[in-house]
């Protein structure tokens, strides 16, 4: 018997039988047999009934290949007839026998004969009259008496379950859960173990781990027939009958059965190599095992269970690694809304940075800072964020924007600093005057109202639902350490600040793959100097101002190098267009005029001069490096001086300097000449030797196409797939959110290409770039540092092209480590 022919439940029951567990007689029907039944070809029912002896009571349960694919509900007590009822009144008592018969009539009428459920509600007490009424209702609806032939009953049950599997709704549901179109259904016919009798009788389920955290803990539910089948709550340690006037646990009532259950639990864990929930009955104190299914579990429990099974030698480490979906880890790295909590939905947007956080609504970065200064948690709401909002984002508990997609500013920063973020909540309206947001259902939420942003699901919720804390526990670390033994591609982090770098180290990133230096200039005190630099009239004046920024940059890099303790740190030179540093409203301009001692018209004309129609394709990246070389010169000096300083105090540092937005070899040549010059000066001035590597960020299609000559001047190439996707599609990163969901819904794009690497298009440019770069420099270091870097599909692609590493947001590093290990194990198994 195999799960692919008879389904998972049948396979599992067969194993329980082989393990000598007291499983009632069971017959399994294969996918093929059930398919034929659905087509009207009923097998010989007497043959099916034969192993069960005379007048059996049976259950039929579904057995799909994967339990997650569902199936029709089980039907119990098949075989119940007037005759058997009369007989059972004597053996188990009238109430129990009548209750069983009523339950069967109800499920047969509703599930098999498809009659109106209202006519078959179960009565409060199972009386003779109630039974007569149910039988009469059936007869009236069907124009024939309730079937009294067990063979006919079972045939009808099998046919209805087989046909239910073929129905359109069932088909769509299981396909949504990943089942193939031709997924089969097996059926399991089993003798009922009733859990009724004169001695201690009842039914229950038991499991041996806590489904929330995966720790060993016995929980379950036991319904004692002697207590009138009331639902009894389970507690840890034993199955307590909390409503039982005896106040006793199953362990106390029936110690032998309880000991047997523990023993069977151990056997199942070892032999089925899983934590199982066992369904059982007691009949006069005799234990029967009806079924065993996987314990449903949270992601946290999944990790702990997999690690514990491997540590106990039950499964190999590779298997533990393969059993945890990488996305489950990202749930563990952040606080989550408790899955059991009620959710009062305000609006749904795009889930852009995972985790959930609660705070009071604020509408500006300044208010977020004021709120933080008061020690109040806040949620920053903006139409979209700009670099000016960064300080507010840092102190906010969560960020919500109405515009933008997964690579918009808010999303990238949110992920980078680990702040939960929902973007593109375009159904929400901001009423600026009233300082309110207006939900699609018309509800208004004012500044100061408490909301919760769930960046994992994309939901924004009213109030403060209960949360589950992040769990960086031992099992999590163990699993990732094991994963690293199999992984064959490096994983670095995109980290801009010391806090990011520390997170990257905590998650065992193998260095920083992208440090976006511009974020450093938004720090308090630096913005003003930056603006002064922008307003400088000559290169000399500019240099003078940049000299004031130099010590600050140097301190930034020293801190980063020290945190990373000799691991590689790839610093990207200044990238954004300068206008991002200028005020955009009148009051901001007035303040700046004041600060710089200039007139309003001076300020306005400079702002206008820097204005661009398409700034992301304008004067930014290396174009600034070529036209205003002083900025890169200052940064290079800061990097090299920091290198000397940090190497003096700790592990030797070999910085990597990366040039953004390159499209032509000449740009690299020009910048390289300058930077080499600065390195030589620093070495001369200090008398200290140091190494560094200069590389290029390949994020324009032309840079990928010309990678052969660009590589000649580069120690490494790192593909910036955010800009490369934007330019390959001709699709603005900040505006794509407006129509992306329609595009994906209509299947124009399979996925949002800013989210999932477009292997066919952007991937082609990556392949060409890698191939051409290696033609001129065979051992050049290749990597990817766009937001795609942490995703499984991008890692798969980068491994296939022999890239050296991927770099992703610090919080995605563990996910990337696990994905990379799984891919390596998969490939190894396929050999
Ligand atoms: C990129 O373009 O892929 C990238 C990593 O840089 P940024 O997102 O800063 O433009
Ligand atoms: Mg870029």
């Amino acid at each position: 018997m195999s799960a692919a022919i008879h389904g998972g439940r049948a396979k599992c029951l067969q194993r329980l039988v082989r393990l000598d567990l007291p499983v009632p007689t069971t017959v399994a029907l294969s996918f093929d047999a059930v398919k034929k039944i659905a087509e009207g070809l009923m097998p010989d029912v007497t043959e099916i009934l034969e192993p069960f002896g005379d007048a059996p009571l049976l259950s039929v349960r579904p057995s799909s290949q994967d339990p997650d694919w569902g199936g029709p509900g089980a039907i119990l007590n098949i075989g119940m007839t007037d005759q058997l009822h009369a007989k059972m009144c004597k053996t188990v008592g009238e109430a129990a026998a009548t209750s069983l018969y009523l339950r069967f009539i109800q499920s047969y009428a509703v599930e098999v004969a498809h009659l109106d459920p209202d006519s078959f509600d179960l009565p409060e007490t199972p009386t003779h009259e109630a039974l007569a009424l149910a039988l009469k209702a059936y007869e009236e609806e069907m124009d024939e008496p309730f079937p009294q032939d067990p063979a006919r009953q079972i045939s009808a049950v099998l046919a209805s379950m087989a046909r239910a599997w073929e129905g359109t709704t069932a088909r769509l549901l299981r396909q949504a859960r990943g089942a193939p179109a031709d997924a089969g259904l097996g059926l399991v016919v089993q003798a009922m173990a009733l859990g009724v009798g004169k001695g201690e009788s009842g039914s229950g389920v038991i499991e041996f781990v806590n489904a929330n955290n995966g720790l060993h803990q016995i929980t379950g539910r036991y319904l004692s027939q002697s207590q009138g089948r009331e639902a009894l709550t389970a507690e840890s340690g034993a199955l307590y009958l909390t409503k039982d006037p005896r106040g006793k646990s199953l362990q106390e009532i029936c110690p032998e059965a309880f000991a047997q259950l523990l023993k069977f639990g151990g056997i199942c864990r070892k032999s089925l190599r899983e934590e199982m929930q066992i369904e059982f009955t007691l009949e006069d104190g005799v234990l029967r095992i009806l079924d065993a299914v996987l314990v449903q579990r949270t992601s946290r429990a999944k990790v702990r269970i997999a690690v514990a099974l491997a540590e106990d030698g039950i499964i190999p480490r590779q298997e533990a690694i393969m059993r945890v979906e990488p996305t489950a880890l990202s749930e563990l790295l952040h606080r989550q809304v408790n899955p059991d909590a009620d959710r009062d939905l305000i609006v749904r947007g795009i889930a852009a940075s995972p985790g959930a956080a609660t705070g009071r609504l604020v509408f500006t970065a300044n208010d977020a800072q004021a709120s933080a200064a008061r020690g109040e948690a806040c949620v920053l709401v903006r139409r979209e964020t700009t670099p000016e909002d960064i300080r507010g984002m840092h102190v906010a508990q969560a960020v919500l924007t109405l515009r933008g997609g997964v690579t918009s500013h808010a999303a990238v920063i949110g992920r980078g600093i680990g702040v939960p973020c929902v973007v593109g909540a375009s159904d929400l309206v901001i009423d600026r005057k009233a300082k309110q947001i207006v939900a699609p259902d018309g509800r208004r939420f004012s500044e100061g109202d408490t909301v919760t942003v769930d960046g994992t699901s994309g939901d924004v919720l009213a109030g403060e639902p209960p949360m589950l804390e992040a769990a960086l526990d031992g099992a999590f670390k163990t699993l990732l350490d094991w994963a690293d033994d199999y992984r064959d591609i490096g994983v670095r982090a995109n980290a801009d600040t010391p806090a990011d770098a520390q997170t990257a180290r905590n998650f065992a990133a193998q260095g920083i793959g992208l440090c976006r230096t511009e974020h450093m200039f938004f720090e308090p005190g630096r913005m003003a100097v930056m603006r002064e630099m922008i307003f400088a009239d000559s290169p000399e004046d500019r240099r003078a101002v940049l000299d004031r920024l130099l010590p600050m940059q140097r301190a930034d890099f020293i801190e980063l190098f020290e945190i990373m303790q000799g691991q590689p740190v790839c610093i990207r030179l200044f990238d954004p267009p300068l206008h991002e540093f200028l005020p955009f409203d009148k009051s901001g301009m007035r303040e700046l005029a004041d600060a710089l001692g200039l007139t309003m018209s001076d300020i306005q004309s400079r702002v206008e001069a820097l204005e661009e129609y398409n700034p992301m394709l304008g004067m930014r990246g290396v174009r600034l490096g070529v036209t205003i070389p002083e900025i890169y010169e200052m940064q290079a000096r800061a990097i090299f001086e920091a290198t000397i300083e940090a190497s003096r105090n700790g592990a030797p540092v070999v910085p990597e300097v990366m040039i953004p937005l390159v499209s032509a070899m000449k740009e690299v040549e020009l910048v390289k000449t300058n930077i080499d010059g600065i390195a030589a000066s620093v070495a001369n001035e200090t008398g200290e030797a140091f190494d560094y590597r200069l590389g290029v960020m390949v994020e324009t299609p032309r840079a990928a196409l010309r990678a052969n000559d660009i590589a000649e001047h580069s120690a490494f190439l790192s593909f910036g797939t955010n800009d490369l996707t934007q330019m390959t599609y001709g699709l603005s990163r900040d505006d794509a959110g407006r129509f992306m969901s329609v595009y994906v819904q209509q299947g124009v794009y399979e996925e949002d290409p800013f989210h999932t690497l477009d292997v066919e298009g952007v991937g082609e440019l990556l392949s060409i770039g890698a191939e051409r770069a290696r033609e001129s420099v065979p051992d050049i270091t290749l990597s990817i540092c766009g937001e795609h870097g942490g995703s499984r599909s991008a890692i798969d692609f980068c491994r296939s092209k022999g890239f050296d590493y991927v770099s992703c947001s610090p919080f995605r590093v563990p996910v990337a480590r696990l994905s990379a290990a799984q891919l390596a194990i998969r490939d190894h198994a396929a050999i």
Side-chain angles (χ1 to χ4, degrees):
M1 205 179 281
S2 89
I5 294 173
H6 289 87
R9 172 171 271 132
K11 173 78 198 150
C12 180
L13 283 167
Q14 185 195 40
R15 294 172 77 177
L16 298 183
V17 171
R18 290 196 177 147
L19 291 168
D20 270 344
L21 266 56
V23 177
T25 307
T26 303
V27 168
L29 301 182
S30 70
F31 294 173
D32 260 1
V34 175
K35 195 159 194 292
K36 287 203 180 102
I37 293 174
E39 288 162 0
L41 293 168
M42 187 59 64
D44 185 349
V45 182
T46 43
E47 219 171 88
I48 296 174
L49 292 178
E50 208 253 339
F52 299 103
D54 278 346
L57 260 195
L58 304 173
S59 67
V60 180
R61 295 168 200 260
S63 176
S64 53
Q65 189 168 340
D66 181 325
D68 280 350
W69 299 348
I75 297 189
L76 311 181
N77 305 316
I78 306 156
M80 200 60 173
T81 58
D82 294 348
Q83 207 182 352
L84 185 58
H85 174 248
K87 200 166 126 196
M88 284 181 72
C89 284
K90 292 190 193 115
T91 53
V92 300
E94 186 173 336
T98 306
S99 168
L100 292 175
Y101 199 4
L102 275 168
R103 281 165 199 274
F104 178 51
I105 296 168
Q106 183 197 40
S107 53
Y108 192 92
V110 176
E111 307 299 335
V112 180
H114 303 294
L115 299 181
D116 183 357
D118 290 349
S119 316
F120 297 93
D121 280 345
L122 289 176
E124 290 218 340
T125 39
T127 58
H128 201 73
E129 293 71 40
L131 177 61
L133 273 177
L135 287 167
K136 187 159 162 255
Y138 183 92
E139 186 162 351
E140 272 172 10
E141 298 274 351
M142 295 295 288
D143 282 338
E144 62 169 14
F146 190 75
Q148 296 295 318
D149 172 11
R152 188 173 152 210
Q153 291 178 355
I154 192 102
S155 301
V157 166
L158 294 176
S160 89
M161 289 176 80
R163 279 198 299 268
W165 181 252
E166 300 295 335
T168 313
T169 320
R171 220 175 251 279
L172 289 177
L173 269 177
R174 64 178 176 264
Q175 280 175 18
R177 291 176 190 159
D182 61 350
L185 175 75
L187 289 174
V188 168
V189 186
Q190 192 178 62
M192 292 285 298
L194 290 172
V196 289
K198 298 255 156 67
E200 180 56 40
S201 301
S203 58
V205 291
I206 183 168
E207 49 195 63
F208 305 90
V209 285
N210 177 314
N212 277 328
N213 58 28
L215 287 171
H216 178 74
Q217 183 184 31
I218 298 167
T219 56
R221 190 161 33 86
Y222 174 66
L223 295 92
S224 175
Q225 182 224 346
S226 61
Q227 295 309 313
R229 301 194 78 85
E230 60 186 317
L232 301 165
T233 329
E235 302 285 340
S236 82
L239 303 188
Y240 281 96
L241 309 176
T242 50
K243 288 188 189 166
D244 183 338
R246 294 172 292 184
K248 285 182 176 171
S249 70
L250 179 61
Q251 189 170 14
E252 289 162 295
I253 298 166
C254 221
E256 309 80 42
F258 189 75
Q260 261 185 313
L261 275 173
L262 295 193
K263 187 175 124 204
F264 293 157
I267 293 175
C268 280
R269 181 172 189 261
K270 204 160 166 208
S271 305
L272 305 182
R273 307 158 78 245
E274 253 300 357
E275 288 294 349
M276 306 300 285
Q277 183 192 63
I278 296 176
E279 191 182 339
F280 65 93
T281 61
L282 282 185
E283 253 171 41
D284 291 332
V286 177
L287 181 68
R288 292 256 162 62
I289 304 294
L290 306 189
D291 201 3
V293 294
L294 287 189
V295 170
Q296 292 293 321
R297 58 199 77 175
T298 61
S299 301
R300 189 174 309 204
K302 191 176 279 183
V303 173
R304 197 183 289 264
I305 289 170
V307 168
L309 286 170
E311 280 176 337
D312 293 346
I314 294 171
I315 59 172
R317 287 180 179 181
Q318 288 106 300
E319 197 171 332
I321 293 167
M322 295 305 275
R323 281 189 184 187
V324 178
E325 304 96 59
T327 45
L329 286 191
S330 78
E331 272 176 44
L332 301 185
L333 297 169
H334 306 274
R335 294 176 88 212
Q336 297 296 319
V337 176
N338 188 324
D340 299 332
D342 290 334
R343 300 171 79 91
D344 181 0
L345 185 73
I346 298 177
V347 73
R348 184 158 292 159
I350 299 168
S353 174
T358 301
R360 293 169 181 273
L361 282 176
V362 294
F363 292 90
T364 67
N366 280 346
D367 288 344
Q369 284 179 282
S371 180
R374 290 194 302 273
E376 258 177 35
C378 68
V379 168
L380 175 61
V381 185
R382 306 284 293 153
R383 237 167 80 75
E384 61 191 324
T385 59
T386 66
E388 286 209 37
D389 293 317
I390 285 187
R391 283 156 60 195
M393 293 178 72
H394 261 286
V395 296
Q397 265 51 46
V399 175
L400 164 66
T401 69
L402 275 58
R403 295 188 58 198
V406 284
T407 61
S408 62
H409 179 265
V412 172
I413 301 295
R415 282 194 295 275
I417 60 181
V419 168
C421 180
V422 169
V423 299
S426 51
D427 293 338
L428 202 64
V429 175
I430 297 184
D431 180 342
R432 268 179 218 284
K433 282 218 180 95
K435 291 204 167 177
Q436 287 179 331
I437 48 172
V438 189
D441 64 6
R443 280 192 293 169
R444 287 177 168 263
F445 297 86
S446 304
E447 186 177 49
D449 284 353
T450 298
V451 300
T452 296
V453 169
D454 183 346
T456 309
S457 68
D459 287 355
V460 181
L461 309 170
E464 184 170 11
M467 300 274 183
L468 287 182
E469 290 303 323
L472 294 178
D473 59 16
F476 175 90
K477 289 208 182 75
T478 306
L479 188 80
L480 288 176
D481 284 349
W482 292 348
D484 286 347
D485 292 339
Y486 295 93
R487 182 159 59 81
D488 56 9
I489 186 167
V491 176
R492 293 199 197 177
N494 295 351
D496 307 339
T497 62
D500 289 349
Q502 195 54 57
T503 310
R505 261 205 86 75
N506 294 349
F507 290 157
Q510 293 163 295
I512 293 178
L514 173 65
C515 170
R516 294 172 162 109
T517 47
E518 55 272 17
H519 296 158
M520 297 166 169
F521 298 107
F522 289 103
E523 293 278 309
R526 300 188 186 186
M527 186 75 142
V529 191
M530 210 40 206
R531 288 174 168 174
E532 210 177 320
M533 188 273 292
I534 294 170
F535 277 82
D537 287 324
S538 66
E540 290 69 41
D541 288 353
R542 206 156 25 237
R543 251 184 221 117
V545 186
L546 283 165
D547 276 349
R548 283 161 48 207
L549 283 173
L550 174 72
M552 305 180 200
Q553 276 269 270
R554 189 171 51 219
D556 293 333
F557 297 136
I558 291 174
E559 206 175 347
L560 279 188
F561 293 150
E562 286 179 351
I563 292 169
M564 296 312 289
Q565 297 176 8
Q567 284 193 319
V569 176
C570 180
I571 297 163
R572 178 178 75 183
L573 298 173
F574 193 85
D575 184 43
L578 291 181
H579 77 88
E580 286 192 5
F581 292 84
L582 295 180
F584 49 86
D585 58 8
K586 279 257 159 52
S587 75
M589 289 192 209
R590 216 166 290 125
E591 263 175 42
L592 185 59
D594 240 15
L596 298 180
L598 295 170
T599 63
M600 262 302 264
S601 67
D602 284 338
I603 302 286
Q604 263 165 339
S605 62
R606 183 58 61 96
V607 169
E608 276 162 27
L610 287 173
E611 216 164 59
E612 294 174 289
Y613 283 112
N614 237 330
M616 285 304 129
L617 299 178
M619 176 84 146
R620 57 169 279 221
V622 69
R623 296 161 196 173
L624 279 172
V626 169
T627 50
I628 313 176
E630 302 82 23
I631 301 177
Y632 280 12
E633 285 167 16
M634 179 279 285
Q635 289 197 298
R637 178 170 281 277
I639 293 169
F640 298 140
E641 291 180 358
T643 298
I644 293 170
E645 183 70 24
S647 304
R648 205 175 280 141
N649 302 336
V653 176
V654 180
E656 297 176 352
V657 182
M658 181 154 75
I659 314 172
L661 212 78
V662 164
S663 58
M665 185 262 272
K666 199 75 188 158
E667 291 168 327
V668 185
E669 243 178 21
L670 281 173
V671 172
K672 183 172 167 23
T673 309
N674 261 351
I675 290 181
D676 285 346
I678 300 282
S681 317
V682 174
N684 258 338
E685 290 157 20
T686 58
E688 306 252 7
F690 58 89
D691 283 332
Y692 70 98
R693 305 175 77 216
L694 188 82
V696 165
M697 192 157 175
V698 178
E699 51 184 344
T700 67
R702 194 176 189 283
L705 297 170
R706 301 300 307 172
N708 40 357
D709 51 23
I710 287 174
E712 278 172 25
H713 302 285
S714 313
F716 62 89
L717 298 185
S718 188
F719 290 89
T721 46
N722 300 336
D723 271 310
L724 195 56
T725 300
Q726 166 165 268
M727 291 184 221
T728 305
Y729 277 82
L731 184 61
S732 152
R733 280 163 73 170
D734 294 316
D735 300 308
R738 284 185 176 198
F739 59 88
M740 191 56 75
S741 57
V742 177
Y743 255 52
V744 174
Q745 262 163 25
Q746 297 194 3
V748 183
Y749 298 158
E750 234 169 77
E751 306 269 2
D752 177 348
F754 290 113
H755 199 240
T756 306
L757 180 69
D758 159 43
V759 172
E760 288 172 358
V762 179
E764 182 76 7
L765 280 171
L766 260 56
S767 302
I768 292 172
E771 214 170 277
R772 294 186 182 170
R774 285 204 185 107
E775 273 167 22
S776 46
V777 185
D779 61 348
I780 193 164
T781 304
L782 296 176
S783 62
I784 176 177
C785 64
E787 288 304 307
H788 306 92
S791 76
R792 186 183 172 94
S793 58
I795 296 171
D796 198 8
F797 179 83
C798 292
R799 284 182 68 249
S800 73
K801 301 292 166 195
F803 279 31
D804 297 276
Y805 68 87
V806 297
S807 189
C808 54
S809 305
F811 284 93
R812 292 182 86 185
V813 165
V815 180
R817 286 164 64 198
L818 184 61
S819 296
Q822 291 186 345
L823 291 163
I825 294 170
R826 176 202 69 184
D827 289 356
H828 199 257
I831 294 169

